[in-house]
Amino acid sequence: MAEQHPRLIKKYPNRRLYDTASSCYITLADVRDLVLGQEEFQVIDAKSGDDLTRSILLQIILEEESGGTPMFTSDLLSHMIRFYGNAMQGFMGRYLENNIHAFTEMQAKLQEQTKSMYGENSPLGKDLWMQFLNFQGPALNSMMTAYMEQSKRMFTQMQDQIESQTRNMFTGFQFPPKDKK
């Protein structure tokens, strides 16, 4: 069986995107549709060959955030920006990715259960799903908040342990006094 390569999209200096699979120019909305369709693709700079996939995905997120109801609050975005250049930058990316993956799996399982109970296109199933989210939304929000608080406490404890171990390893060095929080 042949190895399947991601769909190749070339970005030209005139900022146009060319889909080599369909041999036509496409828009960011078309790329968004590829993402929603879970199709693998790669965007490269037509001149330099640089991978621009992340940049294009960030552009799509920016457009989504600009129109309609944004997913990210200003506070969350500020926190994310503060992690850049921080020693924990790589950890935070993996942490967010793992949590989104877990959330996606949970959502897929709930949708699968709804389909098995009410059929593929049952309006009753979709209506019940909306009712569930409306009634359970506050509970889910509370559960996620508790989870985030617990993760924050564990993360802080881990930082304190690392700092303590570092101080113990280098007992001969002068360290600045530890801040009391």
Side-chain angles (χ1 to χ4, degrees):
M1 189 170 202
E3 185 179 320
Q4 202 164 18
H5 296 284
R7 189 174 191 153
L8 185 63
I9 300 170
K10 294 182 179 183
K11 184 174 183 192
Y12 285 93
N14 63 2
R15 298 173 50 190
R16 292 186 75 187
L17 299 168
Y18 184 78
D19 183 356
T20 59
S22 63
S23 300
C24 65
Y25 287 99
I26 61 173
T27 65
L28 281 178
D30 297 321
V31 176
R32 179 184 177 274
D33 290 342
L34 293 175
V35 172
L36 294 175
Q38 297 185 13
E39 188 161 341
E40 295 279 331
F41 65 91
Q42 180 183 21
V43 181
I44 61 166
D45 185 286
K47 216 174 201 181
S48 68
D50 292 342
D51 188 346
L52 303 175
T53 308
R54 289 183 72 254
S55 174
I56 295 299
L57 292 171
L58 286 168
Q59 279 183 283
I60 293 168
I61 290 171
L62 182 61
E63 282 191 3
E64 291 292 323
E65 285 289 306
S66 297
T69 306
M71 185 183 306
F72 303 113
T73 65
S74 296
D75 190 41
L76 173 66
L77 291 171
S78 295
H79 284 299
M80 289 174 67
I81 289 168
R82 289 182 193 112
F83 273 103
Y84 285 97
N86 185 310
M88 300 305 286
Q89 178 177 340
F91 172 79
M92 181 53 70
R94 285 189 306 278
Y95 175 79
L96 291 172
E97 189 172 347
N98 288 338
N99 280 300
I100 288 174
H101 182 70
F103 182 80
T104 303
E105 282 182 354
M106 181 181 73
Q107 182 184 26
K109 285 179 184 176
L110 286 172
Q111 288 174 341
E112 187 179 301
Q113 288 173 350
T114 302
K115 283 180 187 175
S116 69
M117 288 172 48
Y118 301 105
E120 188 72 28
N121 294 316
S122 170
L124 179 63
K126 292 175 185 174
D127 189 41
L128 285 176
W129 181 250
M130 288 303 298
Q131 287 178 11
F132 172 79
L133 289 177
N134 287 336
F135 289 123
Q136 297 300 321
L140 288 172
N141 190 23
S142 176
M143 183 178 74
M144 289 303 290
T145 301
Y147 172 75
M148 294 304 290
E149 286 299 318
Q150 180 184 13
S151 296
K152 182 179 172 183
R153 280 193 303 275
M154 288 174 53
F155 184 72
T156 303
Q157 288 172 350
M158 183 181 72
Q159 281 182 312
D160 291 343
Q161 286 176 346
I162 291 171
E163 182 181 339
S164 175
Q165 289 172 355
T166 303
R167 286 179 183 274
N168 289 338
M169 283 177 32
F170 300 104
T171 55
F173 292 96
Q174 187 70 21
F175 286 101
K178 188 174 178 180
D179 292 342
K180 296 291 181 196
K181 296 173 189 158

